[in-house]
Amino acid sequence: MRAHDLSAGGDVMDRVGWCARAAASAYGCDSAAEVRLINVSENATFLVTAPGTEPCILRVHRLGYHTEPEIASELAWMDALRAEAGVRTPRILPAADGRRVVTVTEPGSGARRHCVRFEFLPGGEPAEITAGYFAQLGEITARMHRHARQWARPGWFSRFHWDYDAAFGAEARWGRWQHGLGIGSEERAVLGRVTGVLRARLGAFGTGPERYGLVHADTRLANLLITDDAVRVIDFDDSGFSWYLYDLGTSVSFFEHDPEVPALVDAWLTGYRRVAELPAADEAEIWTFILYRRLLLVAWIGSHPAADIAGQLGAGYTRDSCELAESYLSRH
């Protein structure tokens, strides 16, 4: 895993802010526009505002996570979902010369950062999680999956995989869960047992085209926009190839242990089945994918200290993960 450079400390965010302002200029934004950092997670996200113009979102990519063709592939799927599947994704706003991905050279380090500008969509993360929202999310997710199964991807399309090796192998994409916060001998033992069970069950589940394909891979609360009782999904930066049910696992990210989760999962399934079938054999593995995502997030918290939620959850998330793992192991 390449280190998450936005967590490196020092003046890295000053340099990233410089890149954002340079990219805004390249995209033709007003020279007097305010470029304000609003989020640091996998990438740095900025809100660009200027009097008399519509606000827009500018994403400055971390180093080494995606190549430019991989970013172009993400944008192509977002376009296709909006045009062909009735999924409202943000429009990509190109530069005057037509470039959708603008690359700027960071001062001092010489690093080259990719940047993308999106339209600003109204709405915000849901203040309260309800079954109604989860039913809508399930329906939207089913539309994305149906589209992914039918879509003739461009020949140059390239995205990574979220298979077992990418999640938990020697080069795990988000680092190893063994390096998560609060991992001691007891935690290592129980989480090690559960990863073994996950590997066996996923191997039996298989990666046939009816179960494994192109997914959003991060439909967590922070990537939902709620407006007028509608749910929109944003941020396809982690989209790639995985099990379709992984999207359900991501929908309860960071609160998998909440007692309301089973009811929310039922609501998600109700919405999903308005569009697509989900066989009983697939439904039986839902908690496999919830635990799969949970362990990925234990690793993510350990390797992304700059993210606000990582600091908020800390080692307590690991402790709760162990309890969840014990419960899962008792049933599997």
Side-chain angles (χ1 to χ4, degrees), residues 139-196:
E139 183 174 342
I140 292 168
T141 304
R143 281 191 257 134
M144 291 194 291
H145 293 174
R146 182 174 62 186
H147 183 269
R149 288 183 173 102
Q150 300 171 349
W151 187 39
R153 297 189 296 271
W156 47 264
F157 190 92
S158 175
R159 294 296 291 180
F160 51 33
H161 284 255
W162 288 106
D163 56 16
Y164 186 91
D165 285 341
F168 306 126
E171 299 297 324
R173 180 162 297 116
W174 284 346
R176 306 192 71 202
W177 62 261
Q178 292 90 335
H179 300 155
L181 301 183
I183 296 288
S185 58
E186 293 183 8
E187 291 81 9
R188 190 173 291 109
V190 66
L191 297 182
R193 286 171 55 211
V194 84
T195 53

Side-chain angles (χ1 to χ4, degrees), residues 13 59 63 71 93 102 106 151 180 182 193 213 262-263 276 283 323:
M13 292 311 300
R59 185 175 70 192
L63 301 176
I71 298 169
L93 305 178
V102 166
E106 192 178 276
W151 187 39
R193 286 171 55 211
E283 186 174 342
E323 292 184 11

Side-chain angles (χ1 to χ4, degrees), residues 3-317:
H4 184 250
D5 63 290
L6 301 185
S7 293
D11 67 343
V12 63
M13 292 311 300
D14 291 336
R15 288 185 272 117
V16 169
W18 184 94
C19 291
R21 292 187 291 275
S25 177
Y27 278 112
C29 298
D30 191 302
S31 59
E34 178 188 15
V35 181
R36 178 169 60 89
L37 179 68
I38 56 174
N39 183 52
V40 177
S41 183
E42 208 59 61
N43 307 300
T45 305
F46 294 81
L47 177 65
V48 182
T49 55
T53 62
E54 292 292 325
C56 61
I57 296 294
L58 184 65
R59 185 175 70 192
V60 180
H61 281 256
R62 61 172 283 192
L63 301 176
Y65 198 60
H66 287 304
T67 64
E68 186 171 344
E70 288 170 343
I71 298 169
S73 298
E74 169 202 355
L75 305 183
W77 193 35
M78 291 174 65
D79 287 343
L81 285 170
R82 188 173 60 256
E84 303 166 6
V87 177
R88 183 63 169 94
T89 62
R91 291 182 299 112
I92 295 88
L93 305 178
D97 60 6
R99 284 180 298 164
R100 286 150 65 92
V101 181
V102 166
T103 303
V104 296
T105 301
E106 192 178 276
S109 72
R112 291 172 59 77
R113 291 194 184 272
H114 301 309
C115 307
V116 181
R117 185 172 66 133
F118 300 95
E119 71 169 319
F120 175 84
L121 290 178
E125 181 179 333
E128 182 181 358
I129 306 305
T130 68
Y133 288 145
F134 260 72
Q136 290 183 60
L137 178 58
E139 183 174 342
I140 292 168
T141 304
R143 281 191 257 134
M144 291 194 291
H145 293 174
R146 182 174 62 186
H147 183 269
R149 288 183 173 102
Q150 300 171 349
W151 187 39
R153 297 189 296 271
W156 47 264
F157 190 92
S158 175
R159 294 296 291 180
F160 51 33
H161 284 255
W162 288 106
D163 56 16
Y164 186 91
D165 285 341
F168 306 126
E171 299 297 324
R173 180 162 297 116
W174 284 346
R176 306 192 71 202
W177 62 261
Q178 292 90 335
H179 300 155
L181 301 183
I183 296 288
S185 58
E186 293 183 8
E187 291 81 9
R188 190 173 291 109
V190 66
L191 297 182
R193 286 171 55 211
V194 84
T195 53
V197 173
L198 292 177
R199 183 169 198 164
R201 295 189 74 86
L202 290 171
F205 193 67
T207 55
E210 72 285 356
R211 288 176 166 170
Y212 192 100
L214 185 59
V215 298
H216 181 282
D218 198 18
T219 58
R220 60 191 176 100
L221 299 185
N223 291 332
L224 306 182
L225 292 179
I226 306 299
T227 178
D228 297 329
D229 295 323
V231 178
R232 294 167 173 171
V233 182
I234 61 172
D235 192 358
F236 284 70
D237 182 59
D238 284 329
S239 62
F241 297 95
S242 188
W243 294 275
Y244 290 113
L245 274 178
Y246 179 59
D247 272 342
L248 175 50
T250 71
S251 70
V252 293
S253 292
F254 300 118
F255 64 98
E256 300 91 342
H257 54 283
D258 191 291
E260 295 299 318
V261 164
L264 296 175
V265 167
D266 286 344
W268 190 98
L269 291 170
T270 296
Y272 194 93
R273 287 194 171 104
R274 293 172 189 159
V275 175
E277 294 182 358
L278 189 68
D282 292 39
E283 186 174 342
E285 296 299 336
I286 284 173
W287 277 94
T288 295
F289 289 98
I290 291 176
L291 263 294
Y292 186 86
R293 171 68 167 190
R294 178 85 183 201
L295 281 179
L296 264 166
L297 292 178
V298 170
W300 186 88
I301 288 171
S303 61
H304 290 66
D308 289 342
I309 196 167
Q312 294 165 10
L313 295 174
Y317 190 76

